Amino acid sequence: MIRGLLSVLLVVVAVSVCPAMAKPGKNIPSRGKRIPQTLSRGWGDQLIWAQTYEEALYWARAQNKPLMVIFHLEDCPHSAAMKKAFAEEKNIQKIADEDFIVLNLVYETTDKHLSPDGQYVPRIIFVDPSMTVRADITGRYSNRMYAYEPSDIKLLLSNMEKAKQLLKTEL
Amino acid sequence: MIRGLLSVLLVVVAVSVCPAMAKPGKNIPSRGKRIPQTLSRGWGDQLIWAQTYEEALYWARAQNKPLMVIFHLEDCPHSAAMKKAFAEEKNIQKIADEDFIVLNLVYETTDKHLSPDGQYVPRIIFVDPSMTVRADITGRYSNRMYAYEPSDIKLLLSNMEKAKQLLKTEL
């Protein structure tokens, strides 16, 4: 954790990311009527979201579509900004709907391949239907390669196009 | 750091899929406005649902509460009947809210301990915060030991009370 903080301080042109994932208990509001949680969590109510990574991988294989995993946190302003940009960009929503399996997580999985350069949010990782994590599809920040900011939305779109070029399955 | 250690402790092996659970594509309606999916899926909108098993285990440990995992399917009439009974039983909702971490899944996890006598739905498995699956807490059907029907709601309540008697942690 300390090393994480130091590295953020040392990098001059650092992308804005949040270092940690969800803490337990934060979701629990004081007594009173709660609003049901949605699987979209605001990243696109019209998309069909997978609930878990296992489920998402299954869909990706079965439908032969790439998977897009969005790691974020409800109380991270950088996540919130990216979420807004993502939800409002019609092309992204359309392509995500038609050509991708989508999953958003506020908690890390146990699969280390999903954090090639660390666990931070927001972070977007593509996975080929052959179940290969596309570590080659990166954003524009060398210190946080899978982070995106709202101004990177066009790059994200072109990365989605890249992810649609499926790897050949050797099987 | 602590979270890092915890994630190492989580036992999840290579991802595999289960043919018995949700089939892909079923969720995709024809074009038109979709209703956002909720994490509760009708099992109690006022409960705080974990999204994934990893997340649920983390909360269970952190809050020292037992975990209740409900396996079900949207298009299974037995699941639907049990869901209705579960959602409408105030005592169950109250105890689930106050004393449990809750998770409902329409897809199997990779942890075989969660299917002691097979993968079927509806199926309710309790997990102690020590991360021990409480295979000893069963319903009344010898061939499907973790299945419950609406008429078993009282038994489910007493099983919840049993799950609240935490196993001693050896650590």
Side-chain angles (χ1 to χ4, degrees):
Chain A
M1 178 58 100
I2 290 167
R3 214 189 53 205
L5 286 173
L6 280 177
S7 68
V8 168
L9 289 172
L10 290 174
V11 175
V12 181
V13 187
V15 61
S16 304
V17 296
C18 301
M21 294 302 277
K23 293 288 180 291
K26 283 227 169 173
N27 273 347
I28 301 177
S30 54
R31 289 286 150 195
K33 186 85 174 165
R34 293 172 182 142
I35 298 165
Q37 306 149 276
T38 62
L39 273 177
S40 75
R41 286 201 176 89
W43 289 83
D45 282 348
Q46 294 302 301
L47 299 179
I48 307 291
W49 294 91
Q51 180 180 356
T52 65
Y53 186 45
E54 292 93 331
E55 182 179 349
L57 282 178
Y58 179 61
W59 288 18
R61 285 170 65 102
Q63 299 188 12
N64 202 36
K65 287 180 179 180
L67 162 63
M68 192 174 181
V69 187
I70 301 170
F71 292 91
H72 65 111
L73 272 180
E74 299 285 11
D75 55 359
C76 161
H78 311 296
S79 297
M82 193 58 209
K83 181 199 302 200
K84 188 167 182 291
F86 187 94
E88 290 176 356
E89 172 57 59
K90 279 192 184 168
N91 280 331
I92 286 200
Q93 292 288 312
K94 184 175 189 294
I95 296 173
D97 185 32
E98 294 175 359
D99 302 326
F100 282 83
I101 302 301
V102 288
L103 171 69
N104 76 80
L105 292 172
V106 292
Y107 210 82
E108 295 289 341
T109 72
T110 52
D111 189 337
K112 300 294 177 208
H113 295 102
L114 290 177
S115 47
D117 65 347
Q119 298 180 339
Y120 51 86
V121 295
R123 173 172 112 247
I124 299 179
I125 307 278
F126 294 96
V127 185
D128 191 74
S130 66
M131 301 180 70
T132 307
V133 170
R134 295 290 304 268
D136 59 308
I137 303 182
T138 62
R140 64 187 188 86
Y141 308 99
S142 58
N143 58 327
R144 294 280 188 270
M145 294 209 298
Y146 307 94
Y148 295 84
E149 294 195 350
S151 57
D152 303 325
I153 207 85
K154 284 227 156 33
L155 173 59
L156 178 60
L157 249 175
S158 80
N159 280 350
M160 290 170 75
E161 292 297 334
K162 212 182 280 181
K164 282 168 60 180
Q165 312 297 319
L166 303 186
L167 303 176
K168 276 183 186 148
T169 307
E170 301 291 337
L171 295 176
Chain B
M1 179 58 100
I2 291 167
R3 219 200 47 232
L5 288 173
L6 281 176
S7 69
V8 170
L9 289 172
L10 296 179
V11 182
V12 174
V13 290
V15 177
S16 64
V17 294
C18 163
M21 297 301 277
K23 293 287 180 293
K26 283 227 169 172
N27 274 345
I28 302 177
S30 55
R31 289 285 150 197
K33 187 84 174 167
R34 293 173 182 141
I35 298 165
Q37 307 148 275
T38 62
L39 273 177
S40 76
R41 285 202 178 89
W43 288 83
D45 282 349
Q46 294 302 301
L47 300 179
I48 307 291
W49 294 91
Q51 180 179 357
T52 65
Y53 186 45
E54 292 94 329
E55 183 179 348
L57 282 177
Y58 178 61
W59 287 19
R61 286 172 64 100
Q63 299 186 15
N64 202 36
K65 288 181 179 178
L67 163 62
M68 192 176 182
V69 188
I70 302 170
F71 292 91
H72 65 112
L73 273 180
E74 299 285 10
D75 54 1
C76 160
H78 309 295
S79 298
M82 193 57 210
K83 181 198 303 200
K84 188 167 181 290
F86 187 94
E88 289 175 358
E89 171 57 59
K90 278 191 186 170
N91 281 332
I92 285 201
Q93 291 288 313
K94 184 173 188 296
I95 297 173
D97 185 32
E98 292 173 0
D99 302 326
F100 282 83
I101 304 300
V102 287
L103 171 69
N104 76 80
L105 292 173
V106 291
Y107 211 83
E108 295 289 342
T109 71
T110 51
D111 191 336
K112 301 294 178 208
H113 295 101
L114 290 176
S115 46
D117 65 347
Q119 297 179 340
Y120 51 85
V121 295
R123 173 171 113 248
I124 299 179
I125 307 279
F126 294 96
V127 185
D128 191 75
S130 67
M131 301 180 71
T132 307
V133 170
R134 296 292 304 268
D136 59 309
I137 303 182
T138 62
R140 63 187 188 87
Y141 309 98
S142 58
N143 58 329
R144 293 277 188 271
M145 294 209 298
Y146 307 95
Y148 295 84
E149 293 195 351
S151 57
D152 303 325
I153 208 84
K154 285 229 156 30
L155 173 59
L156 179 59
L157 249 175
S158 82
N159 280 349
M160 289 169 75
E161 291 298 334
K162 211 181 282 181
K164 282 168 60 179
Q165 310 298 318
L166 303 186
L167 303 176
K168 276 184 187 149
T169 306
E170 301 290 338
L171 297 176

